[in-house]
Amino acid sequence: MAWLETLYLNPFVLFTFVLARVSGIVTTAPIFTGDHIPVRVRAMLAVSLALLLTPLQWGKPIAQLENLPDYAILMAGELLIGVVLGLGVMILMSGLQLAGQVIAQMSGMALADVLSPGTDAEVPLFSNMLYMVAMAVFVVIGGHRVLLDALLHTFVSLPIGHGPATESLGQLVVTLMSASFALGIRAAAPAMVALLLATLVLGLVGRTLPQLNILVLGFGVNSLVTMGALIVSIGAIAWLFQDYFEPTLQAAISALTASVAPSLSSSP
């Protein structure tokens, strides 16, 4: 009966490895995360994708499992591959939320907090708006399909049972955080410059006409300037996020395969 046990055990083990890798990206990637998608739906999506991908891996050699600790280590490695791909995009999108927080602080509208559907936390209104813009761009450019395509390519560069190159993951985190911060500053730059100029003008007006209540006048002016700057620059912010998206995935895949992650700070 040993042959019968091997016949059924090997496909099951292979399926669990594929499911772990798929689950990592389903639980961390944009669109799939958040309370707006029930856990059961995400679980069914992960299982369905794993059932579709498992037959493609039949016949390929996998590491021999001697005990449960070895199995758990390999499962953790497969899960980490999917998590790195999904978190790479989420870290990039958090840069636009940072831009919204900077704009809200400078405009004096930081008290207008709303619940972010992506992070399940209270964030400024501008952060939520820019996050939704990034999500819309992600869907329009087919980011979910690009993520799944990147996941499929990992099965070629990182076969089942071969964990990621953990040595380069630390550098990947630094690279992604730098890119996210650069994206946030570049996205918030038009509104920041406009608010700085508005503050200088209000200061000159306050010197010229001291009888005016600059505090009351300044809040309304800052609100109008902020909205105007965002209306003018919202298209550029969308293009900027699109330009950073592909290098982010390339950096994540390169780090997983122990290649040198490309620098994102020089992205257009």
Side-chain angles (χ1 to χ4, degrees):
M1 298 297 291
W3 66 271
L4 185 62
E5 180 181 353
T6 304
L7 178 64
Y8 287 99
L9 182 60
N10 288 343
F12 176 75
V13 171
L14 181 63
F15 170 76
T16 57
F17 285 154
V18 176
L19 179 61
R21 189 176 297 195
V22 172
S23 299
I25 198 170
V26 168
T27 55
T28 57
I31 298 182
F32 306 126
T33 59
D35 290 340
H36 57 285
I37 298 181
V39 177
R40 292 181 180 179
V41 174
R42 282 181 282 174
M44 291 179 60
L45 176 62
V47 172
S48 301
L49 290 175
L51 288 174
L52 291 174
L53 296 177
T54 300
L56 301 178
Q57 306 304 316
W58 285 347
K60 297 182 179 180
I62 60 175
Q64 294 296 325
L65 302 176
E66 301 294 339
N67 47 48
L68 285 179
D70 292 342
Y71 176 74
I73 293 174
L74 291 178
M75 283 285 289
E78 297 297 324
L79 182 65
L80 182 61
I81 294 173
V83 168
V84 168
L85 292 177
L87 278 183
V89 181
M90 287 300 296
I91 291 175
L92 184 66
M93 296 182 72
S94 67
L96 293 181
Q97 289 187 319
L98 173 64
Q101 290 179 348
V102 172
I103 294 173
Q105 290 289 341
M106 293 190 64
S107 62
M109 301 175 66
L111 296 178
D113 289 351
V114 294
L115 180 65
S116 172
T119 58
D120 297 328
E122 294 288 336
V123 298
L125 181 63
F126 294 123
S127 295
N128 194 39
M129 183 188 72
L130 293 180
Y131 178 83
M132 297 307 293
V133 169
M135 186 68 70
V137 174
F138 179 79
V139 174
V140 168
I141 66 177
H144 52 294
R145 295 192 298 271
V146 175
L147 272 178
L148 293 179
D149 183 67
L151 180 66
L152 290 175
H153 279 81
T154 60
F155 286 104
V156 178
S157 57
L158 289 171
I160 296 295
H162 296 74
T166 55
E167 299 83 2
S168 57
L169 292 183
Q171 181 61 37
L172 174 65
V173 173
V174 176
T175 303
L176 292 179
M177 293 296 291
S178 301
S180 178
F181 185 77
L183 174 62
I185 296 301
R186 294 180 67 178
M192 292 169 61
V193 173
L195 287 170
L196 178 60
L197 294 177
T199 302
L200 293 176
V201 171
L202 287 174
L204 294 176
V205 171
R207 282 285 190 174
T208 306
L209 300 172
Q211 63 271 22
L212 292 178
N213 191 338
I214 297 299
L215 292 179
V216 177
L217 180 64
F219 183 78
V221 170
N222 285 342
S223 301
L224 292 175
V225 169
T226 302
M227 295 305 299
L230 285 176
I231 290 173
V232 172
S233 62
I234 195 71
I237 293 174
W239 281 105
L240 191 62
F241 173 77
Q242 181 179 352
D243 291 338
Y244 272 82
F245 175 68
E246 185 176 352
T248 298
L249 276 183
Q250 292 296 327
I253 295 174
S254 298
L256 288 173
T257 56
S259 299
V260 179
S263 177
L264 301 183
S265 58
S266 58
S267 298

